[in-house]
Amino acid sequence: PLLILTGTSSDYRSPIVGDNDTISELSFSPLHCGSTETGFISEPPWRTLGKITALTAAGCIDAVALTLSSYLTLRFWLQVINLTWGNYILFTPESEEVLPTGLSKVIRQLPMQWQSAWVQLFDTLPSALAVGSIWLAIFVGFTLEKCDKTEESCQTEDWRTVIFIVAFAAFTFIVLLACCPLSWIAREMTQSVWIRQLLQLTGYHYRGDHPPPSLYITDGGCRDCTTLRQLLLRRKDKILLVLAASDKDDDLAVLKTAFVICGSTGLASFYDPRDPRKYVTGYGGLLAQFKEDKTMSTLHLAIRYEKTATEPAKSGQLYIVKNRLPPDHKAHPVEPHLTVDEMCGEVTRGCGRCPDGVQPFDSEAWGDMTTDSLGSFCCCDCMHTNGICGNCGPTFPHGSFANFMYMTPMWCSSLARLGFDVSEDAARLVSR
């Protein structure tokens, strides 16, 4: 299977005619990273699935302040309070080496969890030294004594002035270089996170044939957070979509938005595979049936790919799984925490060996608690079982916004078990 996640960049505008916004959608797969707006590069081996998942899920505040609003006030407070959830990634063209070949070979010999940090360190080292030298010069200038009408102190004051002027001129020069990364030294200066944050604060975005060497990536929800558009661009015959949006009422708003985006761009249309004459949206459509019938674990839609200049029209299949609680899972007793042994199929369900240093599952402490009664305003398992502190808040599986920022081990384990249970039918259909 081809696993794809999407994120958005807010500091680059492509030269494509008609692209007048500052949002660039990027897809991340095991093979490539990028989009038609930014171009594609090979996915670095040290960029792990966990980091990509965290980046592409870093929504809300970043999405509002950087992509959905033009107010500089929001950008100012975003930087001052340090509420940014996204991060910068290296986006170097295939023709340019991020690091010298010899150094890259040495870093590849390190453990995987260290490779990304070392690549980031060496790549940002020139810009860090340049910016650090400016701050050092300013610090030295402040330490010099002011003129007290003696000849020696007045000479010191002159040197103080010279240092401040040189530091300010150097800083201005570096910022201007970062605004137009056309030469190799300018591209090095764009790697300074401090400079990039300053440009981000001003609302600056670069426009050119290729993005700057580092891009700020945040949630893909500003465009299509389902990744459906990216898979339709590849005209896949079968698509398995795991819909994990916060949607306790099964309104499927993000899915409908994705349908509108895909339809307006002429990529594809969707219909009922049992009766192609029926729309999937609206009263009586498949989406409405899925909302009413809670026993449906999989939503199956048919795809109609339009004819292009190089390929004929064809059909495809779309299987959708959503994080919702089936009727037979309600009042389901809390199960032991998920373990590696159980995920690998080496033991039966709920019988995995607890890792060393982790408190084992205590059936007496959990008592008769069920998964659908797990509260979301908890930061650890003991709050679920402690009636005084409170197992409170919106319940499993949707919970609250705060819950997914500090998910408890039991909530995470129960969510993984629920995903495994409800996706069984979809996995069977998509693999046949």
Side-chain angles (χ1 to χ4, degrees), residues 90 119-129 188 191-193:
L90 297 179
V119 169
Q120 193 82 15
L121 173 64
F122 284 109
D123 191 63
T124 58
L125 188 60
S127 60
L129 291 175
E188 289 295 337
Q191 301 293 62
S192 170
V193 176

Side-chain angles (χ1 to χ4, degrees), residues 14 16 25 34-40 229 233:
S14 72
I16 300 176
E25 185 180 78
S35 67
T36 54
E37 294 176 287
T38 62
F40 288 89
R229 177 176 174 270
L233 282 169

Side-chain angles (χ1 to χ4, degrees), residues 6 95 168 211 281 327 392 400:
T6 54
S95 57
F168 179 77
T281 58
C392 56
S400 62

Side-chain angles (χ1 to χ4, degrees), residues 3 52 64 101-102 113 150 180 221 245 295 312 355 368 382-383 397 414 424:
L3 183 64
I52 294 175
V64 172
T101 305
Q113 63 269 24
T150 64
C180 303
T295 62
D368 298 330
C382 62
M383 293 189 68
S414 301
E424 180 180 0

Side-chain angles (χ1 to χ4, degrees), residues 226 231 238-242 298 317-321 423 426-427 430:
T226 66
L231 290 168
K238 295 180 181 179
I239 298 175
L240 174 59
L241 171 60
V242 180
T298 304
Q317 307 297 322
L318 172 63
Y319 302 96
I320 303 172
V321 178
S423 62
V430 79

Side-chain angles (χ1 to χ4, degrees), residues 22-41:
T22 59
I23 306 175
S24 300
E25 185 180 78
L26 290 89
S27 64
F28 296 86
S29 75
L31 301 176
H32 300 97
C33 165
S35 67
T36 54
E37 294 176 287
T38 62
F40 288 89
I41 63 171

